[in-house]
Amino acid sequence: IPAGLDVEITRWVRGDNDIIITGNTDTFQTVDEIKGNLERSDNWQAITITSANLDNTTNRIEFRLKIDL
């Protein structure tokens, strides 16, 4: 994930077959950029945005990504 993106990773859980990343960012486009950057790696089978929602109290996008290993 490029350093210039406005993103905060709040949780990173590695299972036997996947990684779940939870965090927040400034826009829905940034969530897509994070996914796109991760997809450039040959280390994963697939990356899915499992949720991306606007938090009305913080005006930030809370997201969850699932990375299949």
Side-chain angles (χ1 to χ4, degrees):
I1 301 173
L5 292 180
D6 180 2
V7 61
E8 177 186 10
I9 303 299
T10 56
R11 189 166 187 209
W12 180 288
V13 179
R14 179 160 188 322
D16 291 336
N17 300 313
D18 61 13
I19 299 171
I20 304 296
I21 300 173
T22 306
N24 64 75
T25 190
D26 55 346
T27 66
F28 288 105
Q29 180 179 345
T30 302
V31 177
D32 289 333
E33 287 181 49
I34 293 166
K35 180 179 183 271
N37 280 297
L38 291 170
E39 286 176 328
R40 293 185 187 134
S41 173
D42 293 332
N43 295 322
W44 337 114
Q45 295 289 326
I47 299 174
T48 306
I49 300 171
T50 57
S51 69
N53 301 294
L54 176 64
D55 182 333
N56 288 327
T57 59
T58 62
N59 278 337
R60 296 200 37 97
I61 308 304
E62 294 184 348
F63 67 88
R64 183 174 181 206
L65 298 174
K66 180 181 180 215
I67 302 172
D68 295 323
L69 302 175

